[in-house]
């Protein structure tokens, strides 16, 4: 996630979570419950179901924390579980009703949700990047986003996200952002790829990636688009930190960053950032959330206790 140089929000201490400390888990529930609920609610369209999904998510998180993979952030770990539980729920519902809602703004059809979990290597056969190279690629992309954010080049950020993550054609980007002409779009893409190569070159083991970026620059579009699009979304390369979304909701973000944050949320429809916004927008529903947190605390506590005092 990109932070634009400001302070990060609280992240849990994984070691304390693995030691099954109540306090740390409680704070996890407080911090993430609202946005998980917003995510599940948006997809299931059902408050009760969403609460169940959140409860299952947190229990899943407690159970699985021993195998936590530090390649991911804790939020990615949690949202990954939440997505799977949501898919499970929609599958069960599909089995019951044999039909699914398909409204634009309503719950996502299960097929598209399931597709979100596909990894680039599942899509691009034969020529996929190694996992190490993908990590490196995500790092380099994040660095590019970070530096573009600091330069306050928000339009450039939008253009590159549209091309890289959205798979938009130059022509559509040009029209959408009212740029001079299509060549301007191609120019932005060319310079971004060049900068990515520079960023990759200064890293150890950047070779795989350089090879790949060179292929992309030479116009191996298919490979480039498919792999990059999934990577960008999966690794949340451009997701703004939560405090930026809070400012968007409060209307204090400022025109320039707003261009990008708004684009990321409403054009790219990033599900994680949308969940954050839903959560942040639902001020006044604290009482309801409080009840859910209470319920989560109870189920987590019971589980932790059963692990501590096996009888
Ligand atoms: Zn996002």
């Amino acid at each position: 996630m990109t932070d634009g140089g400001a302070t990060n929000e609280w992240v849990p201490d994984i070691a304390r979570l693995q030691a099954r400390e109540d306090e740390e888990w409680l704070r996890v529930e407080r911090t993430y419950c609202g946005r998980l609920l917003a995510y599940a609610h948006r997809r299931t369209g059902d408050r009760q179901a969403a609460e169940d999904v959140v409860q299952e998510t947190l229990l899943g998180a407690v159970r699985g924390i021993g195998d936590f993979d530090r390649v991911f952030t804790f939020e990615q770990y949690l949202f990954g579980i939440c997505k799977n539980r949501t898919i499970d729920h929609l599958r069960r519902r599909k089995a019951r009703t044999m039909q699914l809602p398909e409204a634009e703004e309503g719950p996502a059809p299960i097929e598209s949700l399931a597709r979100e979990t596909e990894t680039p290597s599942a899509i691009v056969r034969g020529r996929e990047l190694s996992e190490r190279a993908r990590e490196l690629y995500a790092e380099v992309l994040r660095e590019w986003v970070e530096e573009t954010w600091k330069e306050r080049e928000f339009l450039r950020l939008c253009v590159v996200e549209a091309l890289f993550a959205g798979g938009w054609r130059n022509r559509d980007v040009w029209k959408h952002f009212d740029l001079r002409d299509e060549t301007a779009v191609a120019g932005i893409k060319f310079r971004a790829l060049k900068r990515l190569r520079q960023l990759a070159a200064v890293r150890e083991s950047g070779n795989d990636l350089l090879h790949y970026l060179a292929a992309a620059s030479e116009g191996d579009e298919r490979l480039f688009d498919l792999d990059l699009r999934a990577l960008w979304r999966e690794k949340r390369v451009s997701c703004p930190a939560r405090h930026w979304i809070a400012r968007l909701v409060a209307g204090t973000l400022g025109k320039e960053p707003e261009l990008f944050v708004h684009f990321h949320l409403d054009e790219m429809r990033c599900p994680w950032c949308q969940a954050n916004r839903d959560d942040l927008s639902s001020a006044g529903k604290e009482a309801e959330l409080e009840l859910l947190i209470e319920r989560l605390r109870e189920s987590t506590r019971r589980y932790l206790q059963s692990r501590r005092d096996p009888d």
Side-chain angles (χ1 to χ4, degrees):
M1 269 174 288
T2 191
D3 201 49
T7 46
N8 256 314
E9 69 167 336
W10 176 78
V11 284
D13 179 335
I14 300 297
R16 291 188 61 195
L17 294 180
Q18 288 176 331
R20 305 184 192 284
E21 287 185 27
D22 281 350
E23 280 303 307
E24 198 73 354
W25 278 106
L26 190 61
R27 193 151 176 214
V28 163
E29 283 156 14
R30 288 218 160 271
T31 307
Y32 296 102
C33 160
R35 64 191 88 165
L36 291 171
L37 185 69
Y39 175 86
H41 195 191
R42 195 179 258 273
R43 272 151 191 79
T44 59
D46 175 342
R47 167 80 189 201
Q48 191 53 51
E51 290 196 5
D52 292 344
V53 165
V54 173
Q55 187 170 7
E56 286 168 23
T57 299
L58 281 156
L59 278 176
V62 176
R63 287 195 192 103
I65 196 67
D67 301 319
F68 181 79
D69 182 349
R70 286 173 194 271
V71 160
F72 300 101
T73 65
F74 182 75
E75 194 184 15
Q76 284 173 328
Y77 166 73
L78 210 52
F79 269 113
I81 299 172
C82 188
K83 180 163 67 181
N84 290 334
R85 292 298 172 273
T86 305
I87 291 172
D88 290 346
H89 171 83
L90 292 172
R91 287 215 171 104
R92 285 196 300 269
R93 189 160 79 187
K94 187 178 186 181
R96 277 201 306 272
T97 64
M98 290 310 286
Q99 72 172 53
L100 279 164
E102 286 174 62
E104 246 296 279
E105 271 306 310
I110 189 167
E111 284 74 18
S112 76
L113 198 55
R115 222 176 294 128
E116 283 175 24
T117 63
E118 277 181 16
T119 60
S121 48
I123 301 168
V124 181
R125 284 160 198 87
R127 294 183 61 190
E128 73 266 28
L129 287 165
S130 67
E131 191 47 44
R132 189 175 52 87
R134 295 183 71 239
E135 274 313 316
L136 183 67
Y137 199 2
E139 260 179 52
V140 167
L141 287 167
R142 271 192 218 108
E143 195 173 336
W144 182 88
V145 168
E146 195 79 20
E147 90 185 4
T148 307
W149 186 292
K150 280 185 184 146
E151 290 165 12
R152 302 187 65 79
E153 292 285 351
F154 295 104
L155 178 61
R156 192 197 297 164
L157 205 49
C158 289
V159 167
V160 168
E161 173 142 327
L163 293 168
F164 286 18
W168 291 18
R169 290 171 311 176
N170 286 5
R171 186 178 181 73
D172 299 326
V173 176
W174 159 53
K175 287 190 172 158
H176 186 89
F177 293 104
D178 206 16
L179 295 165
R180 198 179 66 244
D181 50 29
E182 273 187 65
T183 327
V185 180
I188 290 174
K189 181 173 176 179
F190 178 81
R191 283 190 295 277
L193 283 168
K194 186 175 167 197
R195 181 65 187 142
L196 288 170
R197 283 202 302 278
Q198 288 170 343
L199 292 172
V202 296
R203 278 158 202 268
E204 248 184 281
S205 70
N207 263 344
D208 278 14
L209 197 55
L210 278 175
H211 188 69
Y212 177 83
L213 286 165
S217 301
E218 284 156 20
D220 195 342
E221 293 284 338
R222 199 191 66 87
L223 173 69
F224 177 72
D225 288 348
L226 284 179
D227 206 5
L228 181 55
R229 198 179 312 169
L231 184 75
W232 187 289
R233 286 170 183 263
E234 186 190 327
K235 305 286 183 188
R236 303 189 59 190
V237 163
S238 68
C239 288
R242 184 171 155 98
H243 64 87
W244 291 107
I245 300 173
R247 281 183 228 179
L248 178 77
V249 170
T252 57
L253 184 56
K255 204 165 179 269
E256 289 172 316
E258 190 178 324
L259 173 77
F260 173 72
V261 178
H262 176 69
F263 177 76
H264 179 74
L265 277 150
D266 298 318
E267 300 287 340
M268 292 292 109
R269 304 173 68 88
C270 172
W272 320 115
C273 292
Q274 283 181 338
N276 268 310
R277 179 172 60 185
D278 289 351
D279 173 35
L280 289 161
S281 311
S282 63
K285 290 190 184 163
E286 284 96 352
E288 268 180 71
L289 209 54
E290 221 34 63
L291 285 173
L292 176 59
I293 290 171
E294 204 48 52
R295 185 174 140 197
L296 295 173
R297 183 191 304 186
E298 195 44 41
S299 66
T300 311
R301 199 187 52 79
R302 268 202 310 271
Y303 177 78
L304 290 175
Q305 211 158 41
S306 75
R307 297 293 303 223
R308 275 195 297 263
D309 328 305
D311 51 7

